[in-house]
Amino acid sequence: MALNAQRRNLGRSAVFAMMASLTAFALPQVAHAEYADVVINNYADAAGMRPVVFPHWFHRVRFRCKVCHADLGFQFKAGGNKINMAKIIDGQFCGACHNGEIAWSVENCGMCHSGIPGTPTHFHGSTVQRLIAPTYKALEKPADKK
Amino acid sequence: MSYKAHARWLTALVTMLIAVPAWSSEVQQPAQPAAAVWSSFTDQGSVFAAISESEVIRLADVSSANVFNQNLKKHESNLAPPEDGIHDSNNEATFALQPPKVAFKGLPETTFGNQVDWVKSIDQKALAPRWDRVNPDEEPFVLDMDIVRPVKASMPDVVFPHRQHTEWLACSNCHPAIFIPQKGANQISMSAILLGEKCGVCHGKVSFPIETKTCKKCHSKPKPDDWKPPLSSATTNNPWK
């Protein structure tokens, strides 16, 4: 009887451990993309396009923060600018440079729309992301063991 | 009855309350589950099953703490877009994107964030990012003014350097929306920063991250020699002192 109970406990905790490991590996911090890459998926998935991956590092090498965040009016918030293609071809946001003059033009869809489908809007590798994903949760005992 | 005798009775009662359930749970639930957690995380589960039961438990107690610690894993940094985990490798254009390592060649290194010291890159003229969208000759308006913010606790005081910030940003990026340009008008705490307010609007997201390695980048001014930590009111008003 005692042995049976032990085996049952063992099985339960193995299932729990599998669930815990799945949770741990599903967290965004496991992807190792570049720090400060922004995935923007306000509308892309719904429109059947891959989400946009914006590499901060690539743009920072060429322009100071002020150019986009003061002159072009980009808010300091991932997904907070409600950018869409209509605004871009009107010369707003990305379209201020991605117009074939300063940078390549909008016909190169896949250069921006290059994210894995289903990835939510987020800052890659941000401290906030690390705070809401506490790995120590996985060590907690399951509810049926008190 | 005296105050001290009360305390003795209370201690004895609490000890009993803690000891009884601990003993009963020991009998009903051996430490087996921890061993199962450990073996399910390794490919060598069968090896551990062959070892005697007491040995398995001892191993599990020591090792399971490390199994869950993601921070101990060393990930390769600056991966090319097709391998980085957020770009879609089924997208042809992903392979046309510049890999970060190519762009970062020759830039001063750090051990956090992008592994690049962006401020030093400008100081050393290894980088010359434009200040204006179209005019490459326009120069930034650099303000060389340090702001010292005393810190209540034992951490060194914070020195905010305007110079490094105005190399990259315009005044209007921070003032007055994020920081009111007036002494004593801004309440800043690490919890606010960690949650993405104040300095955390950029730090922890795009500029250097907030981790142990970077504390001293801001907390850089040592406390004066005669500084003593302030005592909490729980200490000063402690009735059991």
Side-chain angles (χ1 to χ4, degrees), chain A residues 6 9-10 13-14 16-18 20-21 24-25 29-39 50 53 55-67 69-72 74 76 96-97 99 102 104 108-117 119 122-128 130-131 135-136 138-139 141 144-146, chain B residues 28-30 32-33 36-37 40-41 53 64-65 68-71 73 75-79 83-88 90-91 93-94 96-100 103-104 107 113-115 118 122 127-134 138 140 167-170 172-174 178 194-196 201-211:
Chain A
Q6 269 191 21
N9 279 346
L10 205 110
S13 50
F16 168 71
M18 273 169 67
S21 65
F25 294 125
Q29 65 186 26
V30 180
H32 349 115
E34 199 55 29
Y35 175 73
D37 278 2
V38 187
V39 176
R50 292 184 175 90
V53 180
H56 258 107
W57 64 268
F58 184 94
H59 293 81
R60 185 183 302 173
V61 166
R62 290 153 179 85
F63 296 95
R64 311 208 187 204
C65 322
K66 170 256 184 191
V67 176
H69 290 292
D71 298 351
L72 301 183
F74 280 91
F76 290 129
C97 293
N99 52 12
I102 296 171
W104 42 260
N108 301 290
C109 314
M111 294 290 273
C112 298
H113 291 275
S114 57
I116 294 170
T119 313
H122 74 285
F123 253 105
H124 180 76
S126 72
T127 308
V128 179
R130 287 146 64 109
L131 287 180
T135 47
Y136 58 81
L139 275 176
K141 279 191 173 180
D144 60 340
K145 292 191 196 303
K146 274 277 152 72
Chain B
Q28 286 160 14
Q29 315 219 327
Q32 199 81 350
V37 171
S40 71
F41 271 87
E53 196 179 307
S64 58
F68 288 99
N69 197 337
Q70 298 288 316
N71 296 326
K73 281 188 187 167
H75 293 301
E76 204 195 326
S77 50
N78 306 142
L79 290 168
E83 287 115 49
D84 70 2
I86 56 172
H87 283 92
D88 191 351
N90 294 325
N91 172 30
T94 297
L97 296 168
Q98 186 183 33
F104 296 168
L107 298 181
N114 296 116
Q115 322 285 312
W118 295 103
I122 285 201
L127 270 186
R130 282 188 189 177
W131 178 253
D132 185 74
R133 188 171 55 97
V134 284
E138 206 167 301
E167 289 272 11
W168 290 97
L169 291 152
S172 66
N173 281 131
C174 307
I178 303 171
L194 286 167
L195 292 172
V201 170
C202 298
H203 287 286
K205 289 181 188 148
V206 293
S207 39
F208 68 73
I210 302 156
E211 48 181 76

Side-chain angles (χ1 to χ4, degrees), chain B residues 110-153:
Chain B
T110 61
T111 52
F112 44 78
N114 296 116
Q115 322 285 312
V116 171
D117 192 326
W118 295 103
V119 168
K120 227 186 241 176
S121 300
I122 285 201
D123 287 349
Q124 295 179 356
K125 302 209 179 345
L127 270 186
R130 282 188 189 177
W131 178 253
D132 185 74
R133 188 171 55 97
V134 284
N135 181 4
D137 299 324
E138 206 167 301
E139 293 283 327
F141 169 71
V142 177
L143 174 69
D144 194 357
M145 178 172 80
D146 286 353
I147 307 283
V148 178
R149 291 186 62 92
V151 174
K152 277 184 223 141

